[in-house]
Amino acid sequence: MTVIKIERVLSSKPYGVIVAGRTLDARIVAEGCSLRVKAARTIMLGEPAVGETWDVDGHLVSTRWGPQIDATRASRSLPSGVLITRYLAEQVPGIGPSRADLLWKTYGTALPEVLAAGDLAAIAAIIAPDRPVLGPRLAATLVQAWREADTEARLVAWLQQRGVDDMRVARRIAATFGFASVERLERNPWCLVTLLPWEKVDDLGLRLMREAGATAPDDQPNRLVGAVDAVIKDLIATGATAMEDHDLRVRLAGKLKVGQGHPRLLAALYCGVRNGAILGGDGGTWRAPGCAAMEEAVASRLRAMAERPDLRPRDIGPFDFASALQHYETVNGRLHPEQRAAVLKVLASPFACLQGGAGVGKTHTTKAICALWEAAGGDVLLAALAGKAALRLSRSTGRLARTLFRTLRELEERGAITTRLARGLVEPDERPRLESQLKSLAHISPRSLVLVDEASMVDLATIHALQRFMPAGARLLLVGDECQLPPVGFGLTFHKLVDDPRITARLTVVHRQTDDSGIPAVAGSLRAREMPLLEPYRGIGTGVSLVPANGAAEIADRLIGAYLDLAGEDVLVVAPTNEGPSGVRVLNRRLHDLHLLANDGIEIRGALGELFSVGDPVVHRRNDYKRGLFNGSMGQVIAVDVADGSLIAVFDGEEHTFERDELIDLALGYALTCHRAQGSQAARVIVALTPSRLLDPSWLYTSVTRAERQAVLLGDTLTLAAALRQPWASESRRVGFSWP
């Protein structure tokens, strides 16, 4: 066996990998020698990455590229002996070779045990004796990094022995359960249900219980609670937060593989309630506990705000908004009476909703609201779900607007910096930089009006997270359109809130349309569930048109033709399904291939088999607060590295590097499902009307209103008519959130 420090990942295929690195000992070849390692997926665990250390067994062979180990076993490892100094110097920020050497000279081979024990004072005294602030911080970073690595190494070995070979899962387990991960899994393997499919978790749990000699492992309480957790996990994945009793029983019986009357089903319900895995709701429903806590917290805070309509920050005294509005109109032009009434209604309450469809002037109205609140002495924080929406809001109001995820990230960063400054946990030379940084970060004060655009698309977790940063006195305005699809994430808030006329100002008069086939007019017909007037497609233009097509294959072919017509423009394709000839995956591959033919032909392959090249639009698959990207963020590839299998993409003007194992978070973005496209907009949108149970009025409405100038529908009017007869998507999403 030898220890390899990976310097490059040369190839990563479903059947195996080839990496290049340098030996850290002399068991096979001389220390420091460069060599390659070739390993089949069946004999290795996880995805190797640059900078990692791996233990490799195998046969040394000569190749035209130099020495190579054909591995018979390969696993990620922690270094031992003097190698630990190299690991600490290279992997832990701020340590470096000199500090790592000091630790080795002090503790020698006992260093791993010292790091695991975590005596911060002793470690700080060794690595930075003359830096009373920096020393403890470096020591804490060092101990945390070692514990995380040690936990992962032990966890990987434990999982490997039990047939779990996904390194991403191992890292998530380590992050979730921490230093005692293995012990936690040995006590209750079913706690993995939030990270792995139920079938795999249940098989592992039953096997471990049998090996441990447990009697009746099928009836283990941990298993029964795990089955309930799995049902709740599936529920939340649909966007719902509550379910009917009958639905719960059917799903739970399926997990446990028993009939409806089996005693094990009743025992699982009892264990689920007793352990807090499910909560009883109104009308014989069951609620997801975590979601229920968020729903209650959000509703309670909003009620407290709405029930105090005269509440105003102490430093903003009585203010005549009506007179200020008259002055605003003198300078900026008259508002429609409906818009004027909406402005005054919103400003009269610490919490309000502004509801309106396409073309009714929501941004024009919000600009007036912002101006009047600032005139009263307040400040405004603007946020929208997607980057384009934030940019549009910035331009329309003349004020900085951020994405919601960037806003939350900056608020978190502000809190961390403020805490460090208040506690004196910074070096004197670091303070000016941090104080300057605070000035550029999002801030919510008791005088702030927080305005969230496209609020109908914002999920419960995001609203809940935003509320945590709102001090008493801060106001909240949710602006949106209830006819949009519900959020991609779980929960339903805006759709429930706008039914309350006490807090909702409605805009209904359309001010932006040119003819009956214009986007606002067609959107209005779809809102009313009426067949819209659609013009024949004639290429680049404005409004909404129809390209007749029958069947998925014909829809796909004509869609490609329309895309080529509009090439060079800002174009987005929306489809109802991922699979099939006119599904998102096939369309993305076809459009990627067309793009590749017209460019340099260089591409890299992601973990799920998708190909990426420079110029491809991409979509982010999940919410990532660290990057400030959400599930549906749109970007574009600007560079690819074939050797490393990595790429650089720009999202909202900010560059993000995605390493090989991070490409799973990206997908091609030529075509999106409507849910993923919710927060996006494009000058021209092409909509595939492939018959699907997902087509309903809200799907059609959301798809068409993604377009700024032109929407092109491909399909037949029978499909369109059938979709308009379906109920709204929000009506079928059961949640526990109630208002008022």
Side-chain angles (χ1 to χ4, degrees), residues 443-469:
H443 178 51
I444 303 177
S445 74
R447 302 167 56 227
S448 298
L449 168 63
V450 180
L451 190 155
V452 179
D453 198 12
E454 295 189 327
S456 64
M457 306 177 191
V458 180
D459 61 26
L460 173 67
T462 303
I463 292 289
H464 181 262
L466 183 63
Q467 282 188 333
R468 292 192 298 110
F469 298 102

PDB file of all heavy atoms in Angstrom, residues 443-469:
ATOM      1  N   HIS A 443     -28.806  45.385   5.294  1.00  0.00           N
ATOM      2  CA  HIS A 443     -29.066  45.741   6.694  1.00  0.00           C
ATOM      3  C   HIS A 443     -30.557  46.008   6.873  1.00  0.00           C
ATOM      4  O   HIS A 443     -31.187  46.652   6.034  1.00  0.00           O
ATOM      5  CB  HIS A 443     -28.260  46.985   7.072  1.00  0.00           C
ATOM      6  CG  HIS A 443     -28.502  47.457   8.466  1.00  0.00           C
ATOM      7  ND1 HIS A 443     -28.421  46.621   9.561  1.00  0.00           N
ATOM      8  CD2 HIS A 443     -28.826  48.688   8.961  1.00  0.00           C
ATOM      9  CE1 HIS A 443     -28.676  47.310  10.656  1.00  0.00           C
ATOM     10  NE2 HIS A 443     -28.931  48.563  10.325  1.00  0.00           N
ATOM     11  N   ILE A 444     -31.120  45.480   7.947  1.00  0.00           N
ATOM     12  CA  ILE A 444     -32.515  45.749   8.299  1.00  0.00           C
ATOM     13  C   ILE A 444     -32.538  46.391   9.674  1.00  0.00           C
ATOM     14  O   ILE A 444     -32.078  45.800  10.654  1.00  0.00           O
ATOM     15  CB  ILE A 444     -33.370  44.464   8.302  1.00  0.00           C
ATOM     16  CG1 ILE A 444     -33.294  43.765   6.950  1.00  0.00           C
ATOM     17  CG2 ILE A 444     -34.824  44.791   8.638  1.00  0.00           C
ATOM     18  CD1 ILE A 444     -34.051  42.443   6.902  1.00  0.00           C
ATOM     19  N   SER A 445     -33.075  47.591   9.745  1.00  0.00           N
ATOM     20  CA  SER A 445     -33.172  48.325  11.001  1.00  0.00           C
ATOM     21  C   SER A 445     -34.641  48.457  11.390  1.00  0.00           C
ATOM     22  O   SER A 445     -35.538  48.109  10.610  1.00  0.00           O
ATOM     23  CB  SER A 445     -32.556  49.717  10.833  1.00  0.00           C
ATOM     24  OG  SER A 445     -33.421  50.549  10.068  1.00  0.00           O
ATOM     25  N   PRO A 446     -34.949  48.979  12.579  1.00  0.00           N
ATOM     26  CA  PRO A 446     -36.347  49.221  12.945  1.00  0.00           C
ATOM     27  C   PRO A 446     -37.033  50.231  12.030  1.00  0.00           C
ATOM     28  O   PRO A 446     -38.261  50.345  12.057  1.00  0.00           O
ATOM     29  CB  PRO A 446     -36.241  49.761  14.381  1.00  0.00           C
ATOM     30  CG  PRO A 446     -34.957  49.199  14.900  1.00  0.00           C
ATOM     31  CD  PRO A 446     -34.040  49.195  13.724  1.00  0.00           C
ATOM     32  N   ARG A 447     -36.259  50.938  11.194  1.00  0.00           N
ATOM     33  CA  ARG A 447     -36.834  51.924  10.282  1.00  0.00           C
ATOM     34  C   ARG A 447     -36.979  51.368   8.863  1.00  0.00           C
ATOM     35  O   ARG A 447     -37.359  52.091   7.953  1.00  0.00           O
ATOM     36  CB  ARG A 447     -35.934  53.165  10.242  1.00  0.00           C
ATOM     37  CG  ARG A 447     -35.723  53.819  11.593  1.00  0.00           C
ATOM     38  CD  ARG A 447     -34.593  54.829  11.574  1.00  0.00           C
ATOM     39  NE  ARG A 447     -34.820  55.843  10.544  1.00  0.00           N
ATOM     40  CZ  ARG A 447     -33.890  56.240   9.677  1.00  0.00           C
ATOM     41  NH1 ARG A 447     -32.706  55.678   9.682  1.00  0.00           N
ATOM     42  NH2 ARG A 447     -34.164  57.193   8.813  1.00  0.00           N
ATOM     43  N   SER A 448     -36.675  50.094   8.665  1.00  0.00           N
ATOM     44  CA  SER A 448     -36.627  49.536   7.312  1.00  0.00           C
ATOM     45  C   SER A 448     -37.993  49.060   6.825  1.00  0.00           C
ATOM     46  O   SER A 448     -38.788  48.500   7.593  1.00  0.00           O
ATOM     47  CB  SER A 448     -35.651  48.358   7.261  1.00  0.00           C
ATOM     48  OG  SER A 448     -34.337  48.761   7.563  1.00  0.00           O
ATOM     49  N   LEU A 449     -38.209  49.254   5.541  1.00  0.00           N
ATOM     50  CA  LEU A 449     -39.299  48.603   4.824  1.00  0.00           C
ATOM     51  C   LEU A 449     -38.658  47.530   3.956  1.00  0.00           C
ATOM     52  O   LEU A 449     -37.895  47.833   3.040  1.00  0.00           O
ATOM     53  CB  LEU A 449     -40.059  49.601   3.947  1.00  0.00           C
ATOM     54  CG  LEU A 449     -41.046  48.993   2.929  1.00  0.00           C
ATOM     55  CD1 LEU A 449     -42.169  48.248   3.635  1.00  0.00           C
ATOM     56  CD2 LEU A 449     -41.604  50.069   2.004  1.00  0.00           C
ATOM     57  N   VAL A 450     -38.947  46.270   4.246  1.00  0.00           N
ATOM     58  CA  VAL A 450     -38.411  45.144   3.485  1.00  0.00           C
ATOM     59  C   VAL A 450     -39.428  44.774   2.415  1.00  0.00           C
ATOM     60  O   VAL A 450     -40.551  44.358   2.732  1.00  0.00           O
ATOM     61  CB  VAL A 450     -38.123  43.935   4.394  1.00  0.00           C
ATOM     62  CG1 VAL A 450     -37.566  42.779   3.579  1.00  0.00           C
ATOM     63  CG2 VAL A 450     -37.159  44.327   5.510  1.00  0.00           C
ATOM     64  N   LEU A 451     -39.052  44.939   1.163  1.00  0.00           N
ATOM     65  CA  LEU A 451     -39.956  44.681   0.045  1.00  0.00           C
ATOM     66  C   LEU A 451     -39.466  43.441  -0.700  1.00  0.00           C
ATOM     67  O   LEU A 451     -38.354  43.422  -1.221  1.00  0.00           O
ATOM     68  CB  LEU A 451     -39.991  45.894  -0.888  1.00  0.00           C
ATOM     69  CG  LEU A 451     -41.051  45.901  -1.995  1.00  0.00           C
ATOM     70  CD1 LEU A 451     -41.385  47.340  -2.408  1.00  0.00           C
ATOM     71  CD2 LEU A 451     -40.587  45.126  -3.228  1.00  0.00           C
ATOM     72  N   VAL A 452     -40.306  42.409  -0.758  1.00  0.00           N
ATOM     73  CA  VAL A 452     -39.969  41.158  -1.434  1.00  0.00           C
ATOM     74  C   VAL A 452     -40.812  41.044  -2.692  1.00  0.00           C
ATOM     75  O   VAL A 452     -42.038  40.910  -2.622  1.00  0.00           O
ATOM     76  CB  VAL A 452     -40.215  39.940  -0.515  1.00  0.00           C
ATOM     77  CG1 VAL A 452     -39.885  38.651  -1.250  1.00  0.00           C
ATOM     78  CG2 VAL A 452     -39.381  40.063   0.760  1.00  0.00           C
ATOM     79  N   ASP A 453     -40.168  41.104  -3.849  1.00  0.00           N
ATOM     80  CA  ASP A 453     -40.871  40.975  -5.124  1.00  0.00           C
ATOM     81  C   ASP A 453     -40.989  39.501  -5.497  1.00  0.00           C
ATOM     82  O   ASP A 453     -40.215  38.666  -5.029  1.00  0.00           O
ATOM     83  CB  ASP A 453     -40.102  41.738  -6.212  1.00  0.00           C
ATOM     84  CG  ASP A 453     -40.965  42.023  -7.428  1.00  0.00           C
ATOM     85  OD1 ASP A 453     -42.193  41.850  -7.349  1.00  0.00           O
ATOM     86  OD2 ASP A 453     -40.405  42.423  -8.476  1.00  0.00           O
ATOM     87  N   GLU A 454     -41.956  39.200  -6.344  1.00  0.00           N
ATOM     88  CA  GLU A 454     -42.240  37.819  -6.763  1.00  0.00           C
ATOM     89  C   GLU A 454     -42.463  36.912  -5.552  1.00  0.00           C
ATOM     90  O   GLU A 454     -42.027  35.763  -5.499  1.00  0.00           O
ATOM     91  CB  GLU A 454     -41.104  37.276  -7.636  1.00  0.00           C
ATOM     92  CG  GLU A 454     -40.954  38.009  -8.959  1.00  0.00           C
ATOM     93  CD  GLU A 454     -39.980  37.335  -9.901  1.00  0.00           C
ATOM     94  OE1 GLU A 454     -38.995  36.745  -9.427  1.00  0.00           O
ATOM     95  OE2 GLU A 454     -40.195  37.406 -11.116  1.00  0.00           O
ATOM     96  N   ALA A 455     -43.179  37.433  -4.579  1.00  0.00           N
ATOM     97  CA  ALA A 455     -43.344  36.735  -3.304  1.00  0.00           C
ATOM     98  C   ALA A 455     -44.159  35.454  -3.436  1.00  0.00           C
ATOM     99  O   ALA A 455     -44.053  34.572  -2.577  1.00  0.00           O
ATOM    100  CB  ALA A 455     -44.002  37.663  -2.286  1.00  0.00           C
ATOM    101  N   SER A 456     -44.976  35.337  -4.480  1.00  0.00           N
ATOM    102  CA  SER A 456     -45.753  34.110  -4.651  1.00  0.00           C
ATOM    103  C   SER A 456     -44.858  32.905  -4.875  1.00  0.00           C
ATOM    104  O   SER A 456     -45.267  31.768  -4.664  1.00  0.00           O
ATOM    105  CB  SER A 456     -46.719  34.258  -5.829  1.00  0.00           C
ATOM    106  OG  SER A 456     -46.002  34.431  -7.041  1.00  0.00           O
ATOM    107  N   MET A 457     -43.619  33.141  -5.325  1.00  0.00           N
ATOM    108  CA  MET A 457     -42.691  32.057  -5.620  1.00  0.00           C
ATOM    109  C   MET A 457     -41.758  31.760  -4.453  1.00  0.00           C
ATOM    110  O   MET A 457     -40.921  30.864  -4.546  1.00  0.00           O
ATOM    111  CB  MET A 457     -41.857  32.417  -6.849  1.00  0.00           C
ATOM    112  CG  MET A 457     -42.662  32.796  -8.067  1.00  0.00           C
ATOM    113  SD  MET A 457     -41.561  33.280  -9.414  1.00  0.00           S
ATOM    114  CE  MET A 457     -42.750  33.990 -10.573  1.00  0.00           C
ATOM    115  N   VAL A 458     -41.876  32.507  -3.362  1.00  0.00           N
ATOM    116  CA  VAL A 458     -40.951  32.359  -2.232  1.00  0.00           C
ATOM    117  C   VAL A 458     -41.484  31.313  -1.260  1.00  0.00           C
ATOM    118  O   VAL A 458     -42.635  31.372  -0.830  1.00  0.00           O
ATOM    119  CB  VAL A 458     -40.762  33.708  -1.510  1.00  0.00           C
ATOM    120  CG1 VAL A 458     -39.803  33.548  -0.334  1.00  0.00           C
ATOM    121  CG2 VAL A 458     -40.237  34.759  -2.486  1.00  0.00           C
ATOM    122  N   ASP A 459     -40.627  30.349  -0.918  1.00  0.00           N
ATOM    123  CA  ASP A 459     -41.094  29.256  -0.067  1.00  0.00           C
ATOM    124  C   ASP A 459     -41.096  29.646   1.408  1.00  0.00           C
ATOM    125  O   ASP A 459     -40.585  30.702   1.810  1.00  0.00           O
ATOM    126  CB  ASP A 459     -40.274  27.980  -0.304  1.00  0.00           C
ATOM    127  CG  ASP A 459     -38.794  28.148   0.023  1.00  0.00           C
ATOM    128  OD1 ASP A 459     -38.455  29.007   0.860  1.00  0.00           O
ATOM    129  OD2 ASP A 459     -37.976  27.416  -0.558  1.00  0.00           O
ATOM    130  N   LEU A 460     -41.665  28.768   2.203  1.00  0.00           N
ATOM    131  CA  LEU A 460     -41.833  29.015   3.635  1.00  0.00           C
ATOM    132  C   LEU A 460     -40.494  29.202   4.339  1.00  0.00           C
ATOM    133  O   LEU A 460     -40.338  30.099   5.171  1.00  0.00           O
ATOM    134  CB  LEU A 460     -42.602  27.841   4.263  1.00  0.00           C
ATOM    135  CG  LEU A 460     -42.733  27.834   5.782  1.00  0.00           C
ATOM    136  CD1 LEU A 460     -43.598  28.987   6.244  1.00  0.00           C
ATOM    137  CD2 LEU A 460     -43.316  26.499   6.253  1.00  0.00           C
ATOM    138  N   ALA A 461     -39.513  28.360   4.016  1.00  0.00           N
ATOM    139  CA  ALA A 461     -38.224  28.431   4.705  1.00  0.00           C
ATOM    140  C   ALA A 461     -37.542  29.775   4.482  1.00  0.00           C
ATOM    141  O   ALA A 461     -36.902  30.312   5.391  1.00  0.00           O
ATOM    142  CB  ALA A 461     -37.309  27.298   4.226  1.00  0.00           C
ATOM    143  N   THR A 462     -37.684  30.340   3.279  1.00  0.00           N
ATOM    144  CA  THR A 462     -37.037  31.618   2.989  1.00  0.00           C
ATOM    145  C   THR A 462     -37.718  32.759   3.737  1.00  0.00           C
ATOM    146  O   THR A 462     -37.052  33.649   4.283  1.00  0.00           O
ATOM    147  CB  THR A 462     -37.053  31.886   1.475  1.00  0.00           C
ATOM    148  OG1 THR A 462     -36.412  30.791   0.795  1.00  0.00           O
ATOM    149  CG2 THR A 462     -36.320  33.169   1.137  1.00  0.00           C
ATOM    150  N   ILE A 463     -39.051  32.751   3.764  1.00  0.00           N
ATOM    151  CA  ILE A 463     -39.773  33.774   4.537  1.00  0.00           C
ATOM    152  C   ILE A 463     -39.395  33.683   6.008  1.00  0.00           C
ATOM    153  O   ILE A 463     -39.157  34.692   6.683  1.00  0.00           O
ATOM    154  CB  ILE A 463     -41.297  33.595   4.371  1.00  0.00           C
ATOM    155  CG1 ILE A 463     -41.723  33.910   2.933  1.00  0.00           C
ATOM    156  CG2 ILE A 463     -42.050  34.481   5.347  1.00  0.00           C
ATOM    157  CD1 ILE A 463     -41.650  35.372   2.568  1.00  0.00           C
ATOM    158  N   HIS A 464     -39.322  32.469   6.512  1.00  0.00           N
ATOM    159  CA  HIS A 464     -38.960  32.258   7.918  1.00  0.00           C
ATOM    160  C   HIS A 464     -37.549  32.766   8.185  1.00  0.00           C
ATOM    161  O   HIS A 464     -37.298  33.431   9.209  1.00  0.00           O
ATOM    162  CB  HIS A 464     -39.067  30.769   8.256  1.00  0.00           C
ATOM    163  CG  HIS A 464     -38.741  30.436   9.675  1.00  0.00           C
ATOM    164  ND1 HIS A 464     -37.505  29.968  10.065  1.00  0.00           N
ATOM    165  CD2 HIS A 464     -39.480  30.520  10.806  1.00  0.00           C
ATOM    166  CE1 HIS A 464     -37.497  29.765  11.365  1.00  0.00           C
ATOM    167  NE2 HIS A 464     -38.675  30.091  11.843  1.00  0.00           N
ATOM    168  N   ALA A 465     -36.612  32.476   7.291  1.00  0.00           N
ATOM    169  CA  ALA A 465     -35.233  32.926   7.472  1.00  0.00           C
ATOM    170  C   ALA A 465     -35.147  34.447   7.449  1.00  0.00           C
ATOM    171  O   ALA A 465     -34.417  35.055   8.243  1.00  0.00           O
ATOM    172  CB  ALA A 465     -34.345  32.328   6.379  1.00  0.00           C
ATOM    173  N   LEU A 466     -35.888  35.080   6.554  1.00  0.00           N
ATOM    174  CA  LEU A 466     -35.861  36.539   6.462  1.00  0.00           C
ATOM    175  C   LEU A 466     -36.391  37.179   7.740  1.00  0.00           C
ATOM    176  O   LEU A 466     -35.840  38.185   8.229  1.00  0.00           O
ATOM    177  CB  LEU A 466     -36.683  36.991   5.261  1.00  0.00           C
ATOM    178  CG  LEU A 466     -36.711  38.498   4.977  1.00  0.00           C
ATOM    179  CD1 LEU A 466     -35.311  38.998   4.641  1.00  0.00           C
ATOM    180  CD2 LEU A 466     -37.681  38.809   3.841  1.00  0.00           C
ATOM    181  N   GLN A 467     -37.451  36.614   8.295  1.00  0.00           N
ATOM    182  CA  GLN A 467     -38.039  37.184   9.510  1.00  0.00           C
ATOM    183  C   GLN A 467     -37.068  37.192  10.684  1.00  0.00           C
ATOM    184  O   GLN A 467     -37.142  38.060  11.558  1.00  0.00           O
ATOM    185  CB  GLN A 467     -39.297  36.407   9.899  1.00  0.00           C
ATOM    186  CG  GLN A 467     -40.520  36.764   9.070  1.00  0.00           C
ATOM    187  CD  GLN A 467     -41.774  36.119   9.631  1.00  0.00           C
ATOM    188  OE1 GLN A 467     -41.717  35.076  10.277  1.00  0.00           O
ATOM    189  NE2 GLN A 467     -42.905  36.732   9.386  1.00  0.00           N
ATOM    190  N   ARG A 468     -36.149  36.244  10.698  1.00  0.00           N
ATOM    191  CA  ARG A 468     -35.186  36.180  11.813  1.00  0.00           C
ATOM    192  C   ARG A 468     -34.313  37.425  11.892  1.00  0.00           C
ATOM    193  O   ARG A 468     -33.768  37.741  12.951  1.00  0.00           O
ATOM    194  CB  ARG A 468     -34.299  34.937  11.667  1.00  0.00           C
ATOM    195  CG  ARG A 468     -35.007  33.618  11.862  1.00  0.00           C
ATOM    196  CD  ARG A 468     -34.029  32.466  11.991  1.00  0.00           C
ATOM    197  NE  ARG A 468     -33.204  32.268  10.801  1.00  0.00           N
ATOM    198  CZ  ARG A 468     -31.910  32.525  10.732  1.00  0.00           C
ATOM    199  NH1 ARG A 468     -31.277  33.032  11.772  1.00  0.00           N
ATOM    200  NH2 ARG A 468     -31.232  32.301   9.617  1.00  0.00           N
ATOM    201  N   PHE A 469     -34.162  38.122  10.772  1.00  0.00           N
ATOM    202  CA  PHE A 469     -33.292  39.302  10.737  1.00  0.00           C
ATOM    203  C   PHE A 469     -34.078  40.606  10.839  1.00  0.00           C
ATOM    204  O   PHE A 469     -33.487  41.680  10.729  1.00  0.00           O
ATOM    205  CB  PHE A 469     -32.479  39.308   9.441  1.00  0.00           C
ATOM    206  CG  PHE A 469     -31.554  38.132   9.292  1.00  0.00           C
ATOM    207  CD1 PHE A 469     -31.887  37.070   8.475  1.00  0.00           C
ATOM    208  CD2 PHE A 469     -30.358  38.088   9.988  1.00  0.00           C
ATOM    209  CE1 PHE A 469     -31.036  35.985   8.329  1.00  0.00           C
ATOM    210  CE2 PHE A 469     -29.497  37.003   9.861  1.00  0.00           C
ATOM    211  CZ  PHE A 469     -29.844  35.951   9.032  1.00  0.00           C
TER     212      PHE A 469
END
